[in-house]
Amino acid sequence: MAFLKFIVITFLVLYLLRLILRLIFPMVLKSMFSKVQRQAENQARQAQGQARQQDSKPEGSITIDYMPPQTKGGKTDKLGDFVDYEEVK
């Protein structure tokens, strides 16, 4: 008899948990999605603000944010030997 009582109580507890999860889980997901959406909107606003700051420079002004290092070239020794040739007809 105790085994049957255990089975019934277990079944009721699992059924109640299932009901509660059906009610609570969508609310939790909704709050998580809204939080992520707010964060994405804040990041988009910040990106727009930075773009506006860059656009606020006067027209015609030139700024260079990054200039890659220039290699010193002009060494012809590495090119090899120059061979004169004549075209034979």
Side-chain angles (χ1 to χ4, degrees):
M1 193 64 159
F3 182 70
L4 185 61
K5 187 176 180 181
F6 174 76
I7 295 293
V8 170
I9 291 174
T10 304
F11 179 74
L12 287 175
V13 167
L14 289 176
Y15 185 74
L16 287 174
L17 282 175
R18 184 175 151 206
L19 256 168
I20 291 171
L21 285 178
R22 280 190 176 183
L23 296 175
I24 294 176
F25 191 67
M27 291 189 311
V28 170
L29 280 180
K30 187 176 181 180
S31 68
M32 285 176 38
F33 285 139
S34 65
K35 182 179 179 182
V36 169
Q37 186 176 7
R38 275 186 263 128
Q39 288 176 349
E41 288 173 355
N42 287 340
Q43 287 178 351
R45 284 189 196 123
Q46 288 176 356
Q48 285 178 351
Q50 290 176 354
R52 287 182 186 158
Q53 287 176 355
Q54 290 176 354
D55 292 342
S56 65
K57 296 175 186 167
E59 187 175 335
S61 67
I62 298 173
T63 58
I64 299 173
D65 292 333
Y66 172 74
M67 184 175 239
Q70 295 179 351
T71 58
K72 295 183 180 180
K75 291 193 174 189
T76 58
D77 294 340
K78 294 181 181 179
L79 296 177
D81 295 331
F82 181 76
V83 179
D84 288 327
Y85 70 95
E86 292 181 16
E87 188 173 330
V88 178
K89 290 187 181 182

